[in-house]
Amino acid sequence: EAGVVQSPRYKIIEKKQPVAFWCNPISGHNTLYWYLQNLGQGPELLIRYENEEAVDDSQLPKDRFSAERLKGVDSTLKIQPAELGDSAVYLCASSERAGSPLHFGNGTRLTVT
Amino acid sequence: AQTVTQSQPEMSVQEAETVTLSCTYDTSESDYYLFWYKQPPSRQMILVIRQEAYKQQNATENRFSVNFQKAAKSFSLKISDSQLGDAAMYFCAYRGLYNNNDMRFGAGTRLTVKP
């Protein structure tokens, strides 16, 4: 089966500019996650979707971050405006059901200059 | 809230030797899952091994095995016959079964394998 696909792989932008990341989960996986991973740290959850519903977005900085999963399949994570501290790797993952392992994409490395 | 602690930022092992990575966690739930993920420089998180909390038997996957101590809330990973390709960041992760279905990760352990 095809894995979780993320794009772009790398992104370099200037501060205050907008940026968007895209994720296509594994077919049939209803749960989709966006994680933030800072250098040398473990991933931290930003938002979790069950189908098209965001069931946990408590860690998402809503003043500048937004996400959507309109048809319950692929998802977009947006930052506007980006800040220097947003430089990190953004990981997308999906899972089939509760308790199932998460399958991760290759992530997007964002550099804000 | 559930927390996962990996107290070893870095570990080193000689090729063909055995190494154990430590992980402890905190939870009030009785049913949950524990995982070890490997993250090579390519950044993709790869599942190494999974343990269901209700199972007393320790999970094993080829050269990888765990020592799951539920009462102590400890979940260590043992890598036998270490290979150069095992070099990576290793993350311990917790996932609740009911109340909190999110996966929580530790800070990671960087494993170096010496030839």
Side-chain angles (χ1 to χ4, degrees):
Chain A
E1 63 180 7
V4 176
V5 179
Q6 287 188 250
S7 67
R9 189 105 163 95
Y10 302 90
K11 189 72 176 179
I12 301 174
I13 61 171
E14 295 182 346
K15 63 181 181 182
K16 300 184 181 180
Q17 294 301 306
V19 64
F21 315 124
W22 177 80
C23 173
N24 191 27
I26 293 173
S27 178
H29 283 196
N30 296 324
T31 308
L32 183 146
Y33 307 75
W34 283 103
Y35 280 89
L36 165 70
Q37 186 177 23
N38 288 306
L39 185 65
Q41 298 182 23
E44 299 174 5
L45 182 70
L46 287 172
I47 190 168
R48 172 167 65 96
Y49 282 93
E50 294 289 346
N51 297 304
E52 65 273 12
E53 181 182 1
V55 296
D56 185 355
D57 62 355
S58 58
Q59 302 303 312
L60 189 73
K62 298 181 183 62
D63 57 336
R64 297 183 301 107
F65 286 65
S66 64
E68 61 183 14
R69 193 186 184 198
L70 294 176
K71 296 182 179 179
V73 181
D74 57 341
S75 175
T76 303
L77 177 69
K78 298 178 182 178
I79 308 175
Q80 182 172 10
E83 297 179 353
L84 294 176
D86 296 332
S87 296
V89 173
Y90 292 82
L91 293 167
C92 179
S94 69
S95 68
E96 186 177 5
R97 58 185 181 277
S100 301
L102 270 61
H103 297 263
F104 286 84
N106 285 330
T108 297
R109 180 180 295 281
L110 174 66
T111 301
V112 182
T113 63
Chain B
Q2 294 81 12
T3 58
V4 179
T5 303
Q6 294 179 250
S7 59
Q8 306 156 317
E10 297 183 355
M11 290 287 285
S12 179
V13 63
Q14 203 72 33
E15 191 176 7
E17 297 295 312
T18 296
V19 64
T20 298
L21 308 184
S22 301
C23 173
T24 59
Y25 58 94
D26 185 27
T27 184
S28 58
E29 297 178 301
S30 58
D31 291 327
Y32 49 87
Y33 296 88
L34 297 165
F35 305 87
W36 278 97
Y37 278 87
K38 169 185 177 181
Q39 188 178 42
S42 67
R43 296 202 305 262
Q44 184 166 26
M45 301 281 280
I46 302 167
L47 178 66
V48 174
I49 199 165
R50 164 189 175 185
Q51 175 80 43
E52 293 90 341
Y54 66 87
K55 289 186 177 180
Q56 293 185 339
Q57 186 173 6
N58 289 323
T60 299
E61 287 288 341
N62 300 313
R63 298 183 294 108
F64 299 88
S65 61
V66 299
N67 183 4
F68 173 47
Q69 301 291 327
K70 190 173 184 180
K73 296 180 181 176
S74 171
F75 183 60
S76 61
L77 174 70
K78 185 172 79 172
I79 306 174
S80 304
D81 186 24
S82 297
Q83 300 176 359
L84 296 178
D86 294 335
M89 285 289 292
Y90 285 81
F91 293 96
C92 178
Y94 168 101
R95 186 174 189 187
L97 187 59
Y98 300 113
N99 295 329
N100 186 343
N101 200 28
D102 296 335
M103 186 169 282
R104 306 290 178 178
F105 289 85
T109 296
R110 180 175 301 280
L111 178 66
T112 302
V113 182
K114 298 179 179 179

